[in-house]
Structure formats: C-alpha cells, structure tokens
Amino acid sequence: MKMGRRLVGRLAATPDSAVPDLPFLHRALLLPLFSAASVAFRLSLLLFPSRPRRILPVPVLSVGNLTWGGNGKTPMVDFLARSFHRIGVSPLLLTRGYAGADESRMLSRRLSGTSAKIGVGADRADVATSILTKYGYHHAFRGDKIKIGPSAQNKIGVAILDDGMQHRSLLRDVDIVMVNALTPWGNTHFIPRGPMREPLTAIGRADIVVIHHANMVSEEQLKTIVSTVQDSGATCPVFFSKLVPSHIFEVNQPLQRLPLDVLHGVIVLCVSAIGCPDAFIHSVKQIGPLKIDRLDFSDHHFFSAHDLQLMQDTLRKLVDQHKNEVAVLVTEKDYDRDPDALRTLDAKVWVLSSSLQIIPLKEQGDSEFMRKVMEIIAANGRAKLQGES
C-alpha cells in the first residue's frame, strides 16, 4: 500500500517531458493506471445526475479542492468551526476519517474546548443524521440575521464537510474551493498521472475560492492563478490565506503552549508526512532556528520502525556535526496520526501548532470572509424558501 502511494505520488509529480526518464516499471504501469482512473471518473460523471442529493435541516458548507493534498482544507474547516463557535452557532464537522483519520483527530483535539461536534464516516449524510438526532438542531440563520435563543444551546446550527467537493450526494449551501498557490494544478493530469481530481472547469461550482499559501509566492504568480480560476468559469470572490504558527508543544504535553522563540539557537530536524512539506519548512524558517534539516514522507504516512531509526540516525549525525542541541519538529497532523511512535524517539520532540488566516488584501480579511459566507447562506436559504412556496 505504501509503495503504491509512493508510486502514484511520483507519477503525479512528473511533468510530461520527464516521463521517458522514469523507470521501465513505472512507465509500464502508467497507461493502465491512467485508463482505469479515467473510466472511473467518467462513469461517476454519468451516474451522478441520476443520484438524489440528500438534504440536511441545517446549512451545509463544503470545503474541498480540485487536487490532492496540501491545499489547506482541514485548517479551513478548523477556521470555520471556530468562527461559528464564536458567534454562538454550534458546528457539526463531517469527515471521512481517511488514512488513519489524522485530520479528524487533529480537529477533535484543537476544537475540544468549543461547541463543535465531529462525525467520522464515508456516508456523511447518515453520520450527520445520527448526530443531529442525538443533539438536535436549530435554524440559526434567519434571513440576514443570526438568532440564537436559550433553547438552541448545544444544538447544531451548521454542518461543515471536510474534503467535500467530490462528495456531491449531499446538498450544500456554500462550496469553498481551496487552491494551493505553490502547486495550483500540478502537472494538470488526472489521478494517478497527476494530482487533478476533476477538470479545471469544475471550479465553476465554487461559491468562494481561497488561494492557500498565498504568502509563499509572488504577486505575479497570484495574478496568474486568479486569472486561471476566472478563465475556467468561476465568477465567485477569491480570497487568500496562509498558515500562521501560534505556539509549540512537547509531544508528551499537548496542552502546553511554548513560545515560538524556543527554536532560536536550536538545530531542528523537520519531519513531516503531509501534502505540502515545503509550506511547513517555510513556516519554520520564519521562526528562525539555528539550522534546519528535513525528512519528508508521503502524505498520511505512518512512521514505521525503519522510519524512526532513520530519524534517530539523522539526529545523531546532526549532533556529531554541529555539537549543538537538536530537536525534532513535526506538524500537528503528524502528531495526531501516531503520537506514541514519536514518543519513542530518544530526543526532544516538539509539535508546531498553526492556524489558517485570511490575508488582509484589498480590504479582505477574516471578518470579510465570514460576512461573505453568511451572505451566501442567507441567499441560498431564501432560494430554498422560494422553491418550497
């Protein structure tokens, strides 16, 4: 399974000009893999219109993307959940629990002090129905206003789909599409030949597009991405986001909040198994450790005994080379995927905690983003009422 993911990852990252340089086995697998994926995708397009869409009694927001990995979906779900909690609306988060459920574990830990509920399962409509039945729901959005009465306490007012763009069996009120500014469309091929899950024209379904990691590319690159989004049929507003480090905690103390400057003067070995490791490295560089080394693994990878030994050997070499303190630094997703494995390392292991922030460009920001979300919920709510009358 791990070898298969690595192979698909390598094929997806290979530009057309470099295909002849791939090993023979990789090239031999390319055509049948691509053909099978293409047939499955076209079949899903044919079958989708005939499938009834399930409707929940609360507004549904979908956070998704056109490509796999590193687009900021889960940080956006966390951002939305906190934003709704702050205004008194209890959110229900719906996630598949894919590949070890690291996203759902991370969200559960980060949102433990809020009114958020989390449902995990492939059939998110059934999961949502079960949780809504257990906790109850209320109609928090009345036109352009939010009404929270005493009877609404702990009842769910909104549902948020994590990785929901291709989960089209559930009717949604707001489609938020995340785009990774570092590799917006990859090599433009479909999985497994590339990272694309749908054609670019599918972005026309978006109500809001968010270009993530926008702080890591030039203004010219951002203009090109926005132009591509608009040329592909999207007429919706475009926002820009970034991950902002907030604090660090030791692997044995998840409630700890160490200041970021604990990294100053320290040699750091960054270990990650996420979709966009370069963004992690960029954040760490901004904090300013003495030196950074890195070990990157494929997205959602579980650290094996061999991987842990590799980390230990790398740490030993760094200590011998620099005669200085060396610490392992991981992302929250890596921590929540398997904290026990990280605790076996004979070294200081820290976790970098970060949150998504809407970049305040052209009078945009966190508040304006949420106003736009509320506006779309209100508009779709009125449309539903007109359709029922």
Side-chain angles (χ1 to χ4, degrees):
M1 184 67 177
K2 290 179 182 177
M3 287 183 64
R5 283 207 299 268
R6 283 198 294 269
L7 172 58
V8 170
R10 181 171 182 183
L11 293 176
T14 303
D16 292 342
S17 59
V19 168
D21 299 327
L22 288 172
F24 172 76
L25 178 60
H26 292 190
R27 284 183 281 119
L29 289 172
L30 193 56
L31 182 60
L33 279 173
F34 179 75
S35 300
S38 178
V39 169
F41 173 71
R42 293 176 190 280
L43 188 61
S44 70
L45 290 182
L46 289 171
L47 292 176
F48 172 72
S50 64
R51 295 174 182 169
R53 302 185 80 178
R54 304 276 293 276
I55 301 175
L56 297 184
V58 296
V60 176
L61 283 69
S62 165
V63 180
N65 56 12
L66 294 180
T67 62
W68 68 10
N71 296 273
K73 295 187 302 295
T74 306
M76 173 56 77
V77 169
D78 176 84
F79 171 88
L80 289 167
R82 290 179 182 280
S83 299
F84 282 117
H85 168 75
R86 278 195 293 269
I87 60 174
V89 179
S90 296
L92 167 60
L93 281 52
L94 299 168
T95 178
R96 289 178 304 165
Y98 170 77
D102 44 16
E103 286 103 342
S104 58
R105 291 176 184 172
M106 185 178 83
L107 289 167
S108 295
R109 177 180 54 78
R110 286 180 60 93
L111 298 169
S112 61
T114 72
S115 58
K117 313 293 187 299
I118 299 179
V120 181
D123 191 331
R124 282 172 269 190
D126 280 351
V127 172
T129 300
S130 174
I131 296 176
L132 289 166
T133 300
K134 179 179 179 180
Y135 290 100
Y137 63 89
H138 68 106
H139 300 290
F141 303 91
R142 307 290 178 87
D144 297 327
K145 300 185 182 300
I146 295 174
K147 295 185 178 180
I148 310 294
S151 62
Q153 188 174 10
N154 210 39
K155 291 183 178 179
I156 293 163
V158 65
I160 305 170
L161 277 173
D162 183 15
D163 197 10
M165 188 171 185
Q166 287 75 40
H167 189 79
R168 296 177 67 185
S169 61
L170 191 59
L171 191 69
R172 68 284 313 277
D173 297 79
V174 186
D175 257 309
I176 300 171
V177 177
M178 307 295 295
V179 176
N180 184 351
L182 294 172
T183 54
W185 329 114
N187 60 13
T188 73
H189 289 293
F190 288 105
I191 295 171
R193 175 63 186 90
M196 297 295 292
R197 304 165 83 174
E198 292 192 65
L200 265 172
T201 52
I203 208 164
R205 302 201 306 269
D207 296 298
I208 296 174
V209 170
V210 179
I211 300 176
H212 192 48
H213 300 314
N215 59 316
M216 296 178 60
V217 300
S218 67
E219 188 174 342
E220 198 60 38
Q221 287 172 293
L222 290 178
K223 287 180 181 177
T224 300
I225 297 170
V226 172
S227 177
T228 302
V229 167
Q230 293 170 341
D231 291 346
S232 300
T235 57
C236 61
V238 177
F239 289 81
F240 305 90
S241 67
K242 63 180 179 179
L243 276 182
V244 180
S246 57
H247 65 277
I248 286 168
F249 62 87
E250 293 182 40
V251 73
N252 289 317
Q253 301 183 58
L255 299 180
Q256 187 180 51
R257 294 181 67 90
L258 296 172
L260 298 174
D261 61 15
V262 297
L263 295 185
H264 292 177
V266 177
I267 297 170
V268 174
L269 174 61
C270 292
V271 177
S272 66
I274 56 176
C276 191
D278 287 344
F280 175 43
I281 299 299
H282 178 270
S283 293
V284 178
K285 283 181 178 177
Q286 297 298 107
I287 298 170
L290 185 64
K291 178 181 171 59
I292 298 173
D293 203 342
R294 64 192 287 179
L295 287 174
D296 301 338
F297 298 86
S298 59
D299 197 11
H300 300 289
H301 177 79
F302 275 87
F303 299 132
S304 65
H306 177 269
D307 300 328
L308 294 168
Q309 187 58 55
L310 175 61
M311 294 176 208
Q312 204 71 64
D313 293 343
T314 306
L315 284 167
R316 193 175 299 112
K317 289 176 184 176
L318 287 170
V319 170
D320 291 344
Q321 181 180 353
H322 298 283
K323 312 299 181 187
N324 204 328
E325 180 183 12
V326 180
V328 174
L329 188 66
V330 300
T331 71
E332 290 180 279
K333 273 182 66 175
D334 296 304
Y335 166 78
D336 286 302
R337 189 181 307 117
D338 194 356
D340 291 336
L342 294 170
R343 291 185 184 115
T344 65
L345 290 172
D346 184 20
K348 184 177 291 183
V349 182
W350 284 331
V351 184
L352 180 63
S353 182
S354 303
S355 298
L356 182 141
Q357 181 184 91
I358 302 297
I359 299 175
L361 294 175
K362 299 177 182 178
E363 300 181 357
Q364 294 181 339
D366 292 355
S367 299
E368 177 57 31
F369 178 83
M370 287 307 297
R371 274 197 294 273
K372 179 56 66 175
V373 169
M374 303 292 192
E375 180 184 305
I376 297 169
I377 290 175
N380 284 340
R382 285 194 292 271
K384 287 179 181 177
L385 289 173
Q386 291 168 2
E388 292 171 357
S389 60

